[in-house]
Amino acid sequence: MRTFTTDILRTCLRFSLLVLALPLLAHAGLPKASNVPGGVAIVPLGSVSTGADKPQTWLGDKPVLVTSDHNQWYAVVGLPLDITPGPHELSVKTGGETKAESFTVVPKSYPEQHIKLKDKSKVELSAADLARAEREIAAIKELKRHWRAAQDTDLEFIVPAEGPLASRFGLRRFFNEEPRAPHVGLDVAVARGTPVKASAQGTVLAVGDYFFNGKTVFVDHGNGLITMYCHLDQINVQAGEPVSKAQLLGLSGMTGRATGPHLHWSVVLNGAMVDPELFIPPIPESQ
Ligand SMILES: [Zn+2]
């Protein structure tokens, strides 16, 4: 006779088997899908047939990365933090035909961080600093829009520096209750001089020393996927140089606007700043 306890055990077992089976169903070689502002949507585009070209995809006027996994084409769409939740459409060109593929973005409220600063000069920039920062923001915006068609793009990133997670993507920051730009990267707590490595194979798009980001390396992984490594103490690569996955790019530091040594790592996809944690295995938090 079945008892209540065995029924519960069976249910638990079934549930744990389901949980165990879930990772097997996840896409290999694709980032984690997260249809939220600052996330990544994975939109299936049909099966890969021999001889047929890779579909070309756009979100508005921006080209979107397309990759294959288990014989299926997928559009990997970067969702900007300011995207409106609700239905959205990609235009997909296969052969000579163009059609629309829809996907939905759901809202996400990122945590807030309130910082009290006594020294206002740390927040209010001089006219010269403001002019410099504005010039650099425009130049960085151009770099983020860069598109280089590549045969394939490695979407399984390594964490560029070994250390605990210090600050997550999307954090909404307030200085003396004044809203500031949200945190569009992932901070890894590392001491000055820690090796910073390329999260995947690519080409160095640019290197620079910026007012806010400090010494920075941009790596272009192809098809609109770009990574940024900021506040470096030292840069070991040059623009135009090909880099392999895990190749040393430089050493961590606190150049630019940084309250302490850490690596700020950003991921850009079709021009949108997206959550780097979607491209890496989970890393432990500090404290
Ligand atoms: Zn940061």
Side-chain angles (χ1 to χ4, degrees):
M1 202 184 84
R2 273 160 56 141
T3 64
F4 182 64
T5 324
T6 48
D7 271 353
I8 287 182
L9 279 174
R10 266 163 214 248
T11 312
C12 288
L13 184 65
R14 214 172 290 148
F15 182 69
S16 54
L17 284 176
L18 183 72
V19 168
L20 284 173
L22 275 176
L24 299 173
L25 299 173
H27 301 294
L30 289 172
K32 286 175 213 103
S34 176
N35 286 35
V36 299
V40 171
I42 313 252
V43 183
L45 303 176
S47 57
V48 177
S49 54
T50 37
D53 283 341
K54 183 156 105 169
Q56 286 177 283
T57 310
W58 292 266
L59 178 66
D61 61 352
K62 291 201 173 78
V64 164
L65 187 149
V66 173
T67 191
S68 65
D69 184 56
H70 291 105
N71 231 31
Q72 291 285 320
W73 291 119
Y74 293 95
V76 183
V77 195
L79 307 173
L81 266 177
D82 62 0
I83 198 169
T84 317
H88 287 269
E89 267 184 3
L90 289 176
S91 51
V92 183
K93 195 170 152 194
T94 320
E97 251 175 77
T98 305
K99 56 174 186 162
E101 279 292 342
S102 53
F103 64 96
T104 307
V105 177
V106 298
K108 175 169 180 173
S109 73
Y110 287 97
E112 289 181 7
Q113 184 185 33
H114 294 262
I115 301 164
K116 252 200 143 73
L117 294 171
K118 279 199 187 121
D119 183 0
K120 279 203 172 169
S121 68
K122 286 256 155 63
V123 201
E124 283 159 18
L125 305 190
S126 70
D129 284 346
L130 191 67
R132 178 188 164 188
E134 277 173 359
R135 266 199 316 275
E136 291 176 354
I137 287 166
I140 292 170
K141 208 171 162 186
E142 273 308 305
L143 291 171
K144 287 192 228 163
R145 254 190 282 204
H146 180 80
W147 176 273
R148 174 180 59 93
Q151 195 58 36
D152 228 341
T153 293
D154 183 359
L155 296 162
E156 287 176 302
F157 284 172
I158 59 153
V159 184
E162 260 173 65
L165 197 157
S167 186
R168 289 198 137 103
F169 175 91
L171 196 67
R172 293 183 292 160
R173 293 174 298 188
F174 296 81
F175 289 170
N176 299 339
E177 297 311 312
E178 258 184 73
R180 294 279 149 172
H183 189 233
V184 287
L186 183 72
D187 288 351
V188 185
V190 282
R192 183 170 163 238
T194 306
V196 174
K197 299 161 184 173
S199 46
Q201 168 267 333
T203 303
V204 178
L205 177 63
V207 297
D209 190 354
Y210 302 97
F211 182 78
F212 284 112
N213 294 334
K215 288 186 182 161
T216 302
V217 176
F218 295 79
V219 177
D220 169 18
H221 304 284
N223 302 312
L225 184 65
I226 293 157
T227 48
M228 287 171 68
Y229 311 78
C230 306
H231 308 305
L232 301 179
D233 197 56
Q234 185 188 308
I235 293 176
N236 292 38
V237 289
Q238 288 176 2
E241 189 180 330
V243 288
S244 53
K245 191 174 195 156
Q247 184 177 326
L248 183 75
L249 300 175
L251 301 177
S252 68
M254 53 177 295
T255 54
R257 277 288 163 112
T259 48
H262 72 280
L263 172 72
H264 172 102
W265 179 45
S266 283
V267 176
V268 187
L269 184 57
N270 52 264
M273 309 295 283
V274 295
D275 188 352
E277 284 189 76
L278 300 172
F279 294 80
I280 53 167
I283 54 170
E285 253 175 280
S286 58
Q287 287 133 42

